[in-house]
Amino acid sequence: MQLRIYLILILALSLVSCSDGSKQETDIAKIEANFVVERFDEAVLKATPKDLPDLKQAFPFLFSKHTPDSIWVNKLNDTLQNEILKEVSRNFLDFKDVKADLLSMFQHIKYYDKVFSVPRVVTLTNTVQYRDKVIVTDSIALVALDNYLGENHKFYVNGNIPSYLAKNFIKEQIVVDFADSYAKKYAFQANRETLLDEMIYFGKLLYFKDVILPFKTEAERIGYTEEQIKWAGANESPIWSYFVEKELLFSTDSKLPNRFIADAPFTKFYLELDNESPGRLGQYMGWQIVRAYAQASGKDLMQIMQTEPEEIFRKSKFKPKK
């Protein structure tokens, strides 16, 4: 009898939680966050040298006072630049789905940050400088679309870009990269000295995406394949045991972030399982710690983004999946 009552209570609480979550998402969807996608890349593709003054007036933040017009004239006539612009135009004839993702992201950010102002969203190209795919400020959000042409695009294959990076060079990841950039603006930690500090910092960024991008899968938020996210979940316990037994969590060894945090084809445990593992498993484990802390503390997103790693780790009482 008692077990039956307990199960009924659990079910009731679950239904209430789901109802609250649905109402919250309904409220978020009503938030006004209108914006226009400004296609600087399209404008440049159609431009001639005589159009430069108009481009400068429309997009002054993209023109340095120290760059002479002759440089831009050369760009307009450059064969490679025009090929990139044409490839972008061909792949992004329809921006509707990306814009819908960005709208939802902005609505979610506004829900948690009441003073957030929707920026100007401008698309451009940057000759596949993939470390600067997106740039955000308080008033402008830039995205270089030549970094999202599909993982097997000739620009990436011929450019010898590693496949573990190129697999995320798809348009579906644009909003994920934007959310990552915004997460970095909100995240604060006085210390990023130990491996655990780094794990929790990146865990905060991923937790931010949990909250701001509920319409994306876990795999998409971290940039894993479905197989990789399943592998990480299935191996949480041995991964955690490795960190603890090797006394790595509080180590300040500068080589550890490259092994466990940085982009890589796999994580470097120096064990047989390395080749099976996805990269960045330190980020993944930090994500689970921050999630545990969020559940235990009940703090809202913006408070969590500002909380120091020592408190997050101590109060999370994190236990890996068995």
Side-chain angles (χ1 to χ4, degrees):
M1 187 67 176
Q2 286 182 332
L3 177 60
R4 184 182 176 190
I5 293 172
Y6 175 75
L7 291 174
I8 291 172
L9 283 172
I10 291 293
L11 178 60
L13 287 171
S14 176
L15 291 172
V16 169
S17 177
C18 289
S19 176
D20 289 346
S22 298
K23 182 182 183 305
Q24 178 177 297
E25 286 301 314
T26 300
D27 291 342
I28 290 173
K30 295 176 183 177
I31 293 174
E32 186 175 331
N34 296 325
F35 66 98
V36 174
V37 177
E38 302 177 58
R39 297 293 300 270
F40 179 73
D41 53 298
E42 291 282 9
V44 172
L45 178 61
K46 298 171 185 175
T48 63
K50 68 179 179 60
D51 297 315
L52 270 178
D54 291 336
L55 286 176
K56 286 183 176 182
Q57 185 172 3
F59 304 95
F61 47 87
L62 295 177
F63 292 85
S64 169
K65 294 178 181 179
H66 305 292
T67 303
D69 286 355
S70 59
I71 299 294
W72 275 98
V73 170
N74 289 336
K75 282 187 178 181
L76 294 177
N77 294 322
D78 183 79
T79 303
L80 176 59
Q81 291 293 332
N82 276 282
E83 183 183 2
I84 291 172
L85 289 165
K86 287 175 182 176
E87 283 295 298
V88 167
S89 180
R90 184 173 65 83
N91 281 273
F92 286 93
L93 288 172
D94 183 357
F95 212 75
K96 181 172 62 177
D97 291 343
V98 177
K99 185 178 179 183
D101 281 351
L102 293 176
L103 173 61
S104 184
M105 179 190 72
F106 289 142
Q107 288 172 322
H108 280 80
I109 295 176
K110 286 189 77 171
Y111 180 83
Y112 291 97
D113 177 6
K114 305 306 181 188
V115 300
F116 177 78
S117 180
V118 177
R120 288 181 67 175
V121 178
V122 181
T123 66
L124 39 73
T125 61
N126 70 352
T127 323
V128 195
Q129 300 297 312
Y130 59 83
R131 300 195 186 281
D132 297 308
K133 289 186 284 187
V134 301
I135 295 173
V136 301
T137 70
D138 290 342
S139 59
I140 297 168
L142 306 177
V143 54
L145 296 182
D146 48 330
N147 296 280
Y148 299 97
L149 299 175
E151 63 178 307
N152 297 314
H153 194 277
K154 62 183 180 180
F155 289 165
Y156 316 143
V157 175
N158 297 341
N160 295 316
I161 292 176
S163 59
Y164 69 87
L165 293 175
K167 70 181 174 64
N168 285 313
F169 290 8
I170 54 177
K171 64 178 64 176
E172 291 79 9
Q173 287 298 107
I174 290 175
V175 72
V176 178
D177 290 339
F178 265 123
D180 191 70
S181 291
Y182 279 111
K184 289 172 182 173
K185 286 174 65 67
Y186 288 109
F188 173 79
Q189 285 184 193
N191 297 311
R192 286 178 60 184
E193 298 174 356
T194 67
L195 177 62
L196 183 63
D197 289 342
E198 287 293 292
M199 289 167 63
I200 289 178
Y201 173 78
F202 283 95
K204 286 181 182 180
L205 305 188
L206 288 162
Y207 180 72
F208 183 90
K209 286 185 269 190
D210 279 342
V211 177
I212 299 301
L213 305 178
F215 51 91
K216 287 293 183 180
T217 66
E218 284 191 327
E220 288 171 325
R221 290 173 210 154
I222 193 172
Y224 281 176
T225 63
E226 287 297 331
E227 292 74 20
Q228 287 174 325
I229 198 75
K230 288 176 183 175
W231 191 98
N235 288 278
E236 274 187 25
S237 187
I239 293 168
W240 186 246
S241 294
Y242 180 90
F243 286 144
V244 173
E245 290 168 7
K246 298 291 184 180
E247 299 181 345
L248 300 181
L249 294 175
F250 300 100
S251 172
T252 57
D253 184 347
S254 62
K255 295 178 183 176
L256 293 179
N258 283 332
R259 291 175 58 192
F260 300 109
I261 301 293
D263 279 317
F266 54 83
T267 299
K268 301 177 182 68
F269 295 101
Y270 304 138
L271 299 172
E272 288 185 12
L273 60 75
D274 282 13
N275 289 333
E276 302 172 17
S277 71
R280 297 180 286 118
L281 281 171
Q283 292 191 28
Y284 174 87
M285 296 304 293
W287 189 14
Q288 309 318 307
I289 293 170
V290 176
R291 281 175 163 178
Y293 174 75
Q295 186 172 5
S297 70
K299 285 188 175 181
D300 69 26
L301 174 63
M302 295 304 169
Q303 289 176 309
I304 291 170
M305 297 301 286
Q306 297 285 311
T307 303
E308 291 297 337
E310 299 83 20
E311 178 179 337
I312 289 178
F313 181 58
R314 179 167 44 85
K315 294 186 178 178
S316 71
K317 295 182 170 56
F318 171 69
K319 292 181 180 178
K321 297 174 189 172
K322 296 292 185 183

